[in-house]
Every structure is written in structure tokens, then in C-alpha cells.
Amino acid sequence: MKRRTITRATLGRLPLYLKYLRSSADEDEMVSATAIAKALKLGEVQVRKDLNDVSGKGRPRIGYLKKELIKDLEHSLGYRSHSSAVIVGAGKLGTALLQFDGFSLYGLEIAAAFDCDKTKTGKNLFGKTVYPLDELRLYCQMHDIHIGIITVPEASAQSVCNAMTDAGITAIWNFAPVELVTAENVIVQQEDLALSLAHLNMLINNK
Amino acid sequence: MKRRTITRATLGRLPLYLKYLRSSADEDEMVSATAIAKALKLGEVQVRKDLNDVSGKGRPRIGYLKKELIKDLEHSLGYRSHSSAVIVGAGKLGTALLQFDGFSLYGLEIAAAFDCDKTKTGKNLFGKTVYPLDELRLYCQMHDIHIGIITVPEASAQSVCNAMTDAGITAIWNFAPVELVTAENVIVQQEDLALSLAHLNMLINNK
């Protein structure tokens, strides 16, 4: 089963394919990219490319065996290698993310939250415990966690980033509006909410 | 002064340029794309293109008059045409966005929140009032607001979208994981937080 880097746009369509295939009756049937494209009202070329990115088992003019394609889609979406993340910063945004149930669609879950505010630690938020920040390293090592989400204010973001790196985290999703300095092996994905709104504003101003 | 559609990536760099220019001493001096690129450690071709997108006043081999470039950057960032948005859904995520102060960087602000939960309406959250949802239309018309942010659960998102369209909103930033059906003149920007995390997860799994 191959697993290569696929684009964010392709990744976003995989749950659609999976949902469609799961809803169809017989998993021992064959299914073509053409049929999927038609059913989902997507471009055929796009669907063909997407499926080829996640599964090498398509046969020309015949298509894919449904149950194999389902397995490959699940694999690409990380269902077999279930991943957990931790969140640092149990404020409004952190809590909103803890509460959000859309992550499971991609085989992801937020396992726990951390905060240095003692009025927050020890609490249980939507079934997730808030731990003191100094337990981050131990927790990540015990649970083999490599993804961290930063939802602390700008001023604390870099020190949280350092603590995450110390804890063995190699992928950081950063909501604080600050550019983090990290070791080379750490991937930072910056979430810029202000920029998203600004872009939308620009689109309507230019209509 | 021209104002054309610029890409999200360019838009994201404009605050950097503005900050750099404002920090430099004499606004009556000239400044070149080369000098800005060097100071900010960005690619020269990129900076040249970005500046050309926001200002038509650059002169070959001479550059831009600092104060004119500052003015054009401010214009592109919407500083002169200050825009307000409303948020519907005063839950965790909605409150987190109300509290977030990064929007002002782009000349944007969230003016008010709306909710249909009577235990939330009438409250003041970070200086912003939470109004009952049925006052949305009047509020948007009185304050000439055309941007709406949806932070309600999936099941209510479409009806909130309809209420926003009725209220004259033409740009919607949707955090609910559901595809909205709208009139043709309404722009919807979908914020898919689960997809962002899934993409990050895929990047580290393929390292």
C-alpha cells in the first residue's frame, strides 16, 4: 500500500470518496473514477488523480475493487495509524478545539490539554483532562504523541514551542500570531485566522 | 491608487512590509524592493511583485517614496475602509474569535455577536454585546455590515446562513463542517480546522 504526500486539496476530498463508497451496497464490486466523479459531481480528471494518489490498484477501463479502495482511503486518512495531539493553552480557543468533533473524520483526536494556569489544571473538559504544563514531556513520551497545538497568547507561544520540542513533538499547529523559531526537524503549520478574514474582506471589496 | 485582487500569500506579507517601513526613520526617503527584501530576508522577486500589486508608483532603479508606499499598503490592508463583521454563535469558538485581537492588523473588527440561546444574549463579552439572532437583520442594516462569521454547530449552519443572506451579508466565513447553499452573489470561505490538522499529520507521517 503506498502512502505518499498528497495535497491538502486532495486530502479534503478523501472523506467524500470514503463516505460514498461505504454507502454503496456491494464492497466486492468494482468502481471506476468516472462513476465516483458522476455521483459526487466532481471533475473526472481530478477524481482519477486523487484515487491514483492514494491507491496504486486501479486498472484501466475497469477501476478499483471497492473494498480495496476503501482500505487505501482509510490508510491515507490515517485510520490505521490513529494519531493523537496535545493542546497547550486551555483558553477559549483551546477549549473550542477540544470540543470540536470533526477531527475523528481524519482519524485524529486531541488527547489532552495543558496549561500553566492552576485554576484550569486538573479540570475535565469534554472528557479531556487539563494537565499542568510541566507534565507535557512525560505525557507525550508515555503516549507517543508528536503533534502539538499552540493556543496560548502571542507572548508565551515561543516558550511553549520550546517545551513541545523538548517533549519530542515534531509537528506544531500554531494559532498564536507569532513566527516560531524551531529546530529543523520540526514542522510548523501557522494558522492565521486574521488573514483568513482579511482575505474574505478583500474578495468582497473587489467584487 | 489601485486596488486589485491580491493573493492570500501576498496579503499575509503586507503587514511585514508596513511594519518595516513604519519603523524606518525618514518617510520622505526612497526605498527599493531590494532593500526591503534584504531587511526582511525575503526573495527579491517576490517582494517586487507584492509591492507592484499594491502600488503602481515604483520607479525602476529608484524604488518607492516611503510615505506613498505606506499609504498604499494601508489602503490594501483596508485601513481606510474599516470593515466590521458579525459573528453568529457565541459558544467557545465564537467567543475565542471575539476575544482575538489580531484582526485589527488588517483593519477589521468583529462588531457584535448573535445567538438564539437566551442565556447568552444580552451579555457583554470582551466589550461586544451578544444580541438575539432575530435582531441580526436590523443590526446589519443599521451598521452597514456585509461580513458574517458562522460558529454554530453543523445542524444550524444552513439556517444561520439563510438569516445572514436575508440581512444583506455577502461574505460568509464558515467554521461549521457543512457545505452551505447560498445565493450566487454570496462568497463563502470555508474554514476546515480538521483538514488543517490532518494535513499536518500527513506531513509528519511522510517525513
Side-chain angles (χ1 to χ4, degrees), chain B residues 64-163:
Chain B
Y64 296 82
L65 183 60
K66 273 186 192 169
K67 64 180 176 191
E68 275 188 355
L69 188 53
I70 288 175
K71 212 180 275 180
D72 288 351
L73 283 166
E74 285 176 344
H75 181 74
S76 282
L77 283 165
Y79 279 52
R80 310 279 146 169
S81 55
H82 188 89
S83 293
S84 295
V86 290
I87 208 161
V88 176
K92 297 284 177 200
L93 182 59
T95 312
L97 292 174
L98 274 183
Q99 189 179 12
F100 184 59
D101 57 7
F103 296 123
S104 60
L105 195 67
Y106 295 93
L108 295 165
E109 71 149 359
I110 299 176
F114 293 81
D115 207 294
C116 52
D117 178 350
K118 280 180 185 156
T119 65
K120 286 175 182 163
T121 56
K123 274 192 185 163
N124 187 302
L125 296 174
F126 313 105
K128 317 287 166 69
T129 304
V130 183
Y131 296 98
L133 187 55
D134 54 20
E135 293 180 17
L136 180 68
R137 187 174 177 168
L138 187 63
Y139 187 94
C140 289
Q141 286 170 349
M142 279 179 63
H143 296 86
D144 195 28
I145 286 176
H146 301 284
I147 306 176
I149 306 171
I150 298 181
T151 52
V152 297
E154 202 175 330
S156 331
Q158 183 63 52
S159 69
V160 166
C161 168
N162 299 345

Side-chain angles (χ1 to χ4, degrees), chain A:
Chain A
M1 214 179 306
K2 46 178 184 171
R3 174 152 188 163
R4 37 160 122 152
T5 305
I6 60 179
T7 65
R8 195 185 139 109
T10 294
L11 185 60
R13 286 186 293 269
L14 301 190
L16 294 178
Y17 302 145
L18 190 56
K19 194 176 165 193
Y20 168 72
L21 290 170
R22 282 178 176 164
S23 73
S24 63
D26 188 352
E27 295 199 350
D28 284 315
E29 276 178 3
M30 301 298 288
V31 63
S32 67
T34 315
I36 297 178
K38 214 171 208 173
L40 298 173
K41 290 177 186 153
L42 293 171
E44 196 182 319
V45 174
Q46 189 177 67
V47 174
R48 195 175 302 282
K49 202 196 146 296
D50 287 349
L51 298 184
N52 191 50
D53 279 356
V54 299
S55 173
K57 307 197 192 81
R59 285 190 285 155
R61 273 193 292 260
I62 299 177
Y64 296 83
L65 183 61
K66 273 186 194 168
K67 64 180 175 190
E68 276 188 353
L69 188 53
I70 289 175
K71 212 180 273 179
D72 289 351
L73 282 166
E74 286 175 344
H75 181 74
S76 283
L77 283 166
Y79 279 51
R80 309 279 146 169
S81 55
H82 187 88
S83 293
S84 296
V86 290
I87 207 162
V88 176
K92 297 284 178 201
L93 182 59
T95 312
L97 291 175
L98 273 182
Q99 188 179 12
F100 184 60
D101 57 6
F103 296 123
S104 60
L105 194 66
Y106 295 93
L108 296 164
E109 70 149 0
I110 299 177
F114 293 81
D115 207 294
C116 53
D117 178 349
K118 280 180 185 156
T119 65
K120 285 175 183 163
T121 57
K123 275 191 187 164
N124 187 302
L125 296 174
F126 313 105
K128 317 286 167 69
T129 304
V130 183
Y131 295 99
L133 186 55
D134 53 21
E135 293 179 17
L136 180 68
R137 188 173 176 169
L138 187 63
Y139 187 94
C140 289
Q141 285 170 351
M142 279 179 63
H143 296 85
D144 195 29
I145 287 176
H146 301 283
I147 307 176
I149 306 171
I150 298 181
T151 51
V152 297
E154 201 174 331
S156 330
Q158 184 62 52
S159 70
V160 167
C161 169
N162 299 345
M164 283 184 170
T165 310
D166 280 347
I169 280 173
T170 53
I172 294 175
W173 189 19
N174 180 32
F175 283 82
V178 57
E179 203 177 325
L180 299 174
V181 181
T182 59
E184 259 187 26
N185 66 328
V186 177
I187 297 173
V188 176
Q189 184 163 287
Q190 182 70 34
E191 190 70 42
D192 193 335
L193 294 173
L195 179 55
S196 294
L197 185 55
H199 190 235
L200 181 62
N201 186 39
M202 177 158 291
L203 292 178
I204 58 163
N205 282 326
N206 282 290
K207 264 207 305 194

Side-chain angles (χ1 to χ4, degrees), chain B residues 176-207:
Chain B
V178 56
E179 202 176 325
L180 299 174
V181 181
T182 58
E184 258 188 28
N185 66 328
V186 177
I187 296 173
V188 176
Q189 185 163 287
Q190 183 69 33
E191 190 71 42
D192 193 335
L193 293 174
L195 180 55
S196 294
L197 184 55
H199 190 236
L200 180 63
N201 185 39
M202 176 157 291
L203 292 179
I204 60 163
N205 281 327
N206 283 289
K207 263 209 304 195

